PDB file of all heavy atoms in Angstrom:
ATOM      1  N   ALA A   2      -8.499 -12.781-128.794  1.00 90.00           N
ATOM      2  CA  ALA A   2      -9.888 -12.322-128.642  1.00 90.00           C
ATOM      3  C   ALA A   2     -10.611 -12.309-129.988  1.00 90.00           C
ATOM      4  O   ALA A   2     -11.770 -12.721-130.091  1.00 90.00           O
ATOM      5  CB  ALA A   2      -9.915 -10.927-128.014  1.00 90.00           C
ATOM      6  N   GLU A   3      -9.912 -11.842-131.016  1.00 94.00           N
ATOM      7  CA  GLU A   3     -10.505 -11.800-132.359  1.00 94.00           C
ATOM      8  C   GLU A   3     -10.804 -13.210-132.864  1.00 94.00           C
ATOM      9  O   GLU A   3     -11.864 -13.482-133.433  1.00 94.00           O
ATOM     10  CB  GLU A   3      -9.575 -11.086-133.335  1.00 94.00           C
ATOM     11  CG  GLU A   3      -9.428  -9.596-133.104  1.00 94.00           C
ATOM     12  CD  GLU A   3      -8.346  -9.256-132.083  1.00 94.00           C
ATOM     13  OE1 GLU A   3      -7.861 -10.194-131.405  1.00 94.00           O
ATOM     14  OE2 GLU A   3      -7.992  -8.072-131.969  1.00 94.00           O
ATOM     15  N   LYS A   4      -9.866 -14.127-132.644  1.00 95.00           N
ATOM     16  CA  LYS A   4     -10.056 -15.507-133.093  1.00 95.00           C
ATOM     17  C   LYS A   4     -11.239 -16.162-132.387  1.00 95.00           C
ATOM     18  O   LYS A   4     -11.979 -16.943-132.996  1.00 95.00           O
ATOM     19  CB  LYS A   4      -8.778 -16.314-132.857  1.00 95.00           C
ATOM     20  CG  LYS A   4      -7.632 -15.917-133.765  1.00 95.00           C
ATOM     21  CD  LYS A   4      -6.357 -16.644-133.400  1.00 95.00           C
ATOM     22  CE  LYS A   4      -5.203 -16.227-134.289  1.00 95.00           C
ATOM     23  NZ  LYS A   4      -3.932 -16.880-133.911  1.00 95.00           N
ATOM     24  N   ALA A   5     -11.407 -15.855-131.107  1.00 95.00           N
ATOM     25  CA  ALA A   5     -12.533 -16.421-130.359  1.00 95.00           C
ATOM     26  C   ALA A   5     -13.863 -15.943-130.936  1.00 95.00           C
ATOM     27  O   ALA A   5     -14.816 -16.728-131.078  1.00 95.00           O
ATOM     28  CB  ALA A   5     -12.424 -16.046-128.881  1.00 95.00           C
ATOM     29  N   ARG A   6     -13.946 -14.660-131.273  1.00 97.00           N
ATOM     30  CA  ARG A   6     -15.183 -14.131-131.861  1.00 97.00           C
ATOM     31  C   ARG A   6     -15.448 -14.738-133.244  1.00 97.00           C
ATOM     32  O   ARG A   6     -16.579 -15.087-133.574  1.00 97.00           O
ATOM     33  CB  ARG A   6     -15.114 -12.603-131.980  1.00 97.00           C
ATOM     34  CG  ARG A   6     -15.014 -11.871-130.661  1.00 97.00           C
ATOM     35  CD  ARG A   6     -15.413 -10.403-130.800  1.00 97.00           C
ATOM     36  NE  ARG A   6     -14.644  -9.705-131.818  1.00 97.00           N
ATOM     37  CZ  ARG A   6     -13.490  -9.071-131.591  1.00 97.00           C
ATOM     38  NH1 ARG A   6     -12.959  -9.093-130.370  1.00 97.00           N
ATOM     39  NH2 ARG A   6     -12.859  -8.420-132.556  1.00 97.00           N
ATOM     40  N   ILE A   7     -14.394 -14.860-134.027  1.00 98.00           N
ATOM     41  CA  ILE A   7     -14.534 -15.437-135.362  1.00 98.00           C
ATOM     42  C   ILE A   7     -14.970 -16.894-135.264  1.00 98.00           C
ATOM     43  O   ILE A   7     -15.864 -17.347-135.987  1.00 98.00           O
ATOM     44  CB  ILE A   7     -13.205 -15.319-136.140  1.00 98.00           C
ATOM     45  CG1 ILE A   7     -12.897 -13.851-136.444  1.00 98.00           C
ATOM     46  CG2 ILE A   7     -13.262 -16.127-137.438  1.00 98.00           C
ATOM     47  CD1 ILE A   7     -11.486 -13.608-136.942  1.00 98.00           C
ATOM     48  N   GLY A   8     -14.345 -17.638-134.354  1.00 97.00           N
ATOM     49  CA  GLY A   8     -14.705 -19.041-134.172  1.00 97.00           C
ATOM     50  C   GLY A   8     -16.149 -19.221-133.745  1.00 97.00           C
ATOM     51  O   GLY A   8     -16.845 -20.122-134.226  1.00 97.00           O
ATOM     52  N   ALA A   9     -16.616 -18.342-132.853  1.00 97.00           N
ATOM     53  CA  ALA A   9     -18.005 -18.417-132.391  1.00 97.00           C
ATOM     54  C   ALA A   9     -18.972 -18.132-133.532  1.00 97.00           C
ATOM     55  O   ALA A   9     -19.993 -18.821-133.692  1.00 97.00           O
ATOM     56  CB  ALA A   9     -18.227 -17.433-131.247  1.00 97.00           C
ATOM     57  N   ALA A  10     -18.670 -17.124-134.342  1.00 98.00           N
ATOM     58  CA  ALA A  10     -19.537 -16.779-135.476  1.00 98.00           C
ATOM     59  C   ALA A  10     -19.572 -17.903-136.504  1.00 98.00           C
ATOM     60  O   ALA A  10     -20.631 -18.210-137.069  1.00 98.00           O
ATOM     61  CB  ALA A  10     -19.045 -15.487-136.125  1.00 98.00           C
ATOM     62  N   ALA A  11     -18.432 -18.537-136.744  1.00 98.00           N
ATOM     63  CA  ALA A  11     -18.372 -19.635-137.711  1.00 98.00           C
ATOM     64  C   ALA A  11     -19.174 -20.839-137.220  1.00 98.00           C
ATOM     65  O   ALA A  11     -19.906 -21.472-137.996  1.00 98.00           O
ATOM     66  CB  ALA A  11     -16.924 -20.023-137.959  1.00 98.00           C
ATOM     67  N   ALA A  12     -19.045 -21.166-135.947  1.00 98.00           N
ATOM     68  CA  ALA A  12     -19.752 -22.326-135.393  1.00 98.00           C
ATOM     69  C   ALA A  12     -21.265 -22.169-135.505  1.00 98.00           C
ATOM     70  O   ALA A  12     -21.996 -23.168-135.655  1.00 98.00           O
ATOM     71  CB  ALA A  12     -19.348 -22.533-133.935  1.00 98.00           C
ATOM     72  N   GLU A  13     -21.756 -20.937-135.459  1.00 97.00           N
ATOM     73  CA  GLU A  13     -23.194 -20.689-135.572  1.00 97.00           C
ATOM     74  C   GLU A  13     -23.745 -21.049-136.956  1.00 97.00           C
ATOM     75  O   GLU A  13     -24.949 -21.189-137.136  1.00 97.00           O
ATOM     76  CB  GLU A  13     -23.496 -19.215-135.271  1.00 97.00           C
ATOM     77  CG  GLU A  13     -23.237 -18.789-133.832  1.00 97.00           C
ATOM     78  CD  GLU A  13     -24.201 -19.437-132.847  1.00 97.00           C
ATOM     79  OE1 GLU A  13     -25.299 -19.861-133.266  1.00 97.00           O
ATOM     80  OE2 GLU A  13     -23.840 -19.528-131.653  1.00 97.00           O
ATOM     81  N   LEU A  14     -22.865 -21.204-137.935  1.00 98.00           N
ATOM     82  CA  LEU A  14     -23.293 -21.557-139.294  1.00 98.00           C
ATOM     83  C   LEU A  14     -23.531 -23.058-139.459  1.00 98.00           C
ATOM     84  O   LEU A  14     -24.118 -23.493-140.451  1.00 98.00           O
ATOM     85  CB  LEU A  14     -22.239 -21.119-140.315  1.00 98.00           C
ATOM     86  CG  LEU A  14     -21.928 -19.624-140.396  1.00 98.00           C
ATOM     87  CD1 LEU A  14     -20.761 -19.390-141.349  1.00 98.00           C
ATOM     88  CD2 LEU A  14     -23.154 -18.841-140.844  1.00 98.00           C
ATOM     89  N   ILE A  15     -23.072 -23.849-138.508  1.00 98.00           N
ATOM     90  CA  ILE A  15     -23.180 -25.309-138.603  1.00 98.00           C
ATOM     91  C   ILE A  15     -24.586 -25.757-138.232  1.00 98.00           C
ATOM     92  O   ILE A  15     -25.157 -25.306-137.237  1.00 98.00           O
ATOM     93  CB  ILE A  15     -22.135 -25.976-137.696  1.00 98.00           C
ATOM     94  CG1 ILE A  15     -20.717 -25.521-138.096  1.00 98.00           C
ATOM     95  CG2 ILE A  15     -22.247 -27.494-137.770  1.00 98.00           C
ATOM     96  CD1 ILE A  15     -19.642 -25.936-137.108  1.00 98.00           C
ATOM     97  N   ARG A  16     -25.136 -26.662-139.034  1.00 97.00           N
ATOM     98  CA  ARG A  16     -26.496 -27.150-138.831  1.00 97.00           C
ATOM     99  C   ARG A  16     -26.489 -28.649-138.505  1.00 97.00           C
ATOM    100  O   ARG A  16     -25.595 -29.379-138.947  1.00 97.00           O
ATOM    101  CB  ARG A  16     -27.343 -26.904-140.092  1.00 97.00           C
ATOM    102  CG  ARG A  16     -27.492 -25.432-140.433  1.00 97.00           C
ATOM    103  CD  ARG A  16     -28.374 -24.712-139.408  1.00 97.00           C
ATOM    104  NE  ARG A  16     -28.445 -23.276-139.646  1.00 97.00           N
ATOM    105  CZ  ARG A  16     -27.761 -22.376-138.987  1.00 97.00           C
ATOM    106  NH1 ARG A  16     -26.919 -22.762-138.037  1.00 97.00           N
ATOM    107  NH2 ARG A  16     -27.906 -21.089-139.237  1.00 97.00           N
ATOM    108  N   PRO A  17     -27.510 -29.122-137.760  1.00 96.00           N
ATOM    109  CA  PRO A  17     -27.594 -30.554-137.438  1.00 96.00           C
ATOM    110  C   PRO A  17     -27.609 -31.407-138.707  1.00 96.00           C
ATOM    111  O   PRO A  17     -28.245 -31.046-139.700  1.00 96.00           O
ATOM    112  CB  PRO A  17     -28.928 -30.663-136.693  1.00 96.00           C
ATOM    113  CG  PRO A  17     -29.155 -29.305-136.111  1.00 96.00           C
ATOM    114  CD  PRO A  17     -28.599 -28.348-137.120  1.00 96.00           C
ATOM    115  N   GLY A  18     -26.896 -32.505-138.658  1.00 96.00           N
ATOM    116  CA  GLY A  18     -26.853 -33.420-139.777  1.00 96.00           C
ATOM    117  C   GLY A  18     -25.791 -33.105-140.813  1.00 96.00           C
ATOM    118  O   GLY A  18     -25.601 -33.878-141.756  1.00 96.00           O
ATOM    119  N   GLN A  19     -25.063 -32.012-140.644  1.00 98.00           N
ATOM    120  CA  GLN A  19     -24.067 -31.628-141.639  1.00 98.00           C
ATOM    121  C   GLN A  19     -22.744 -32.373-141.461  1.00 98.00           C
ATOM    122  O   GLN A  19     -22.400 -32.833-140.373  1.00 98.00           O
ATOM    123  CB  GLN A  19     -23.801 -30.117-141.591  1.00 98.00           C
ATOM    124  CG  GLN A  19     -24.897 -29.271-142.208  1.00 98.00           C
ATOM    125  CD  GLN A  19     -24.454 -27.844-142.443  1.00 98.00           C
ATOM    126  OE1 GLN A  19     -23.632 -27.290-141.722  1.00 98.00           O
ATOM    127  NE2 GLN A  19     -25.018 -27.230-143.474  1.00 98.00           N
ATOM    128  N   ILE A  20     -22.029 -32.457-142.572  1.00 98.00           N
ATOM    129  CA  ILE A  20     -20.651 -32.930-142.576  1.00 98.00           C
ATOM    130  C   ILE A  20     -19.786 -31.706-142.814  1.00 98.00           C
ATOM    131  O   ILE A  20     -19.974 -30.992-143.807  1.00 98.00           O
ATOM    132  CB  ILE A  20     -20.401 -33.954-143.700  1.00 98.00           C
ATOM    133  CG1 ILE A  20     -21.329 -35.163-143.544  1.00 98.00           C
ATOM    134  CG2 ILE A  20     -18.939 -34.400-143.702  1.00 98.00           C
ATOM    135  CD1 ILE A  20     -21.340 -36.067-144.758  1.00 98.00           C
ATOM    136  N   ILE A  21     -18.850 -31.440-141.919  1.00 98.00           N
ATOM    137  CA  ILE A  21     -18.003 -30.258-142.063  1.00 98.00           C
ATOM    138  C   ILE A  21     -16.526 -30.661-142.078  1.00 98.00           C
ATOM    139  O   ILE A  21     -16.157 -31.718-141.560  1.00 98.00           O
ATOM    140  CB  ILE A  21     -18.243 -29.220-140.947  1.00 98.00           C
ATOM    141  CG1 ILE A  21     -17.730 -29.739-139.597  1.00 98.00           C
ATOM    142  CG2 ILE A  21     -19.712 -28.834-140.860  1.00 98.00           C
ATOM    143  CD1 ILE A  21     -17.625 -28.678-138.518  1.00 98.00           C
ATOM    144  N   ILE A  22     -15.712 -29.823-142.699  1.00 98.00           N
ATOM    145  CA  ILE A  22     -14.262 -29.996-142.665  1.00 98.00           C
ATOM    146  C   ILE A  22     -13.677 -28.849-141.858  1.00 98.00           C
ATOM    147  O   ILE A  22     -13.993 -27.682-142.110  1.00 98.00           O
ATOM    148  CB  ILE A  22     -13.639 -29.983-144.072  1.00 98.00           C
ATOM    149  CG1 ILE A  22     -14.219 -31.100-144.935  1.00 98.00           C
ATOM    150  CG2 ILE A  22     -12.120 -30.145-143.983  1.00 98.00           C
ATOM    151  CD1 ILE A  22     -13.738 -31.066-146.373  1.00 98.00           C
ATOM    152  N   LEU A  23     -12.833 -29.189-140.902  1.00 98.00           N
ATOM    153  CA  LEU A  23     -12.095 -28.186-140.139  1.00 98.00           C
ATOM    154  C   LEU A  23     -10.621 -28.286-140.517  1.00 98.00           C
ATOM    155  O   LEU A  23      -9.970 -29.296-140.250  1.00 98.00           O
ATOM    156  CB  LEU A  23     -12.249 -28.402-138.631  1.00 98.00           C
ATOM    157  CG  LEU A  23     -13.546 -27.968-137.968  1.00 98.00           C
ATOM    158  CD1 LEU A  23     -13.446 -28.197-136.459  1.00 98.00           C
ATOM    159  CD2 LEU A  23     -13.869 -26.519-138.261  1.00 98.00           C
ATOM    160  N   ASP A  24     -10.114 -27.262-141.151  1.00 97.00           N
ATOM    161  CA  ASP A  24      -8.697 -27.194-141.484  1.00 97.00           C
ATOM    162  C   ASP A  24      -7.893 -26.991-140.199  1.00 97.00           C
ATOM    163  O   ASP A  24      -8.449 -26.689-139.135  1.00 97.00           O
ATOM    164  CB  ASP A  24      -8.494 -26.026-142.466  1.00 97.00           C
ATOM    165  CG  ASP A  24      -7.039 -25.762-142.774  1.00 97.00           C
ATOM    166  OD1 ASP A  24      -6.279 -26.738-142.884  1.00 97.00           O
ATOM    167  OD2 ASP A  24      -6.662 -24.588-142.902  1.00 97.00           O
ATOM    168  N   SER A  25      -6.579 -27.141-140.282  1.00 95.00           N
ATOM    169  CA  SER A  25      -5.724 -26.898-139.122  1.00 95.00           C
ATOM    170  C   SER A  25      -5.580 -25.402-138.875  1.00 95.00           C
ATOM    171  O   SER A  25      -5.834 -24.584-139.754  1.00 95.00           O
ATOM    172  CB  SER A  25      -4.335 -27.512-139.352  1.00 95.00           C
ATOM    173  OG  SER A  25      -3.707 -26.881-140.453  1.00 95.00           O
ATOM    174  N   GLY A  26      -5.177 -25.051-137.658  1.00 93.00           N
ATOM    175  CA  GLY A  26      -4.964 -23.644-137.330  1.00 93.00           C
ATOM    176  C   GLY A  26      -5.582 -23.268-136.007  1.00 93.00           C
ATOM    177  O   GLY A  26      -6.414 -23.992-135.447  1.00 93.00           O
ATOM    178  N   THR A  27      -5.195 -22.116-135.500  1.00 94.00           N
ATOM    179  CA  THR A  27      -5.689 -21.675-134.198  1.00 94.00           C
ATOM    180  C   THR A  27      -7.114 -21.134-134.268  1.00 94.00           C
ATOM    181  O   THR A  27      -7.868 -21.256-133.304  1.00 94.00           O
ATOM    182  CB  THR A  27      -4.755 -20.592-133.621  1.00 94.00           C
ATOM    183  OG1 THR A  27      -4.556 -19.559-134.596  1.00 94.00           O
ATOM    184  CG2 THR A  27      -3.400 -21.184-133.274  1.00 94.00           C
ATOM    185  N   THR A  28      -7.499 -20.542-135.391  1.00 96.00           N
ATOM    186  CA  THR A  28      -8.857 -20.015-135.509  1.00 96.00           C
ATOM    187  C   THR A  28      -9.863 -21.146-135.714  1.00 96.00           C
ATOM    188  O   THR A  28     -10.951 -21.129-135.137  1.00 96.00           O
ATOM    189  CB  THR A  28      -8.961 -19.005-136.668  1.00 96.00           C
ATOM    190  OG1 THR A  28      -7.924 -18.025-136.528  1.00 96.00           O
ATOM    191  CG2 THR A  28     -10.304 -18.291-136.638  1.00 96.00           C
ATOM    192  N   THR A  29      -9.503 -22.143-136.512  1.00 97.00           N
ATOM    193  CA  THR A  29     -10.395 -23.291-136.683  1.00 97.00           C
ATOM    194  C   THR A  29     -10.506 -24.090-135.382  1.00 97.00           C
ATOM    195  O   THR A  29     -11.544 -24.697-135.112  1.00 97.00           O
ATOM    196  CB  THR A  29      -9.912 -24.204-137.823  1.00 97.00           C
ATOM    197  OG1 THR A  29      -8.508 -24.449-137.672  1.00 97.00           O
ATOM    198  CG2 THR A  29     -10.157 -23.556-139.179  1.00 97.00           C
TER     199      THR A  29
END
């Protein structure tokens, strides 16, 4: 449940046109 909330909050930081890196792991 905590990871789902963290993942949702992180995804909200992504903007159109950006290049992002996602590391391995269950939270990413």
Side-chain angles (χ1 to χ4, degrees):
E3 291 86 349
K4 290 174 181 177
R6 296 199 305 270
I7 293 168
E13 293 292 338
L14 299 174
I15 302 170
R16 298 290 175 259
Q19 285 194 329
I20 301 168
I21 70 166
I22 301 175
L23 283 184
D24 174 38
S25 63
T27 52
T28 309
T29 48

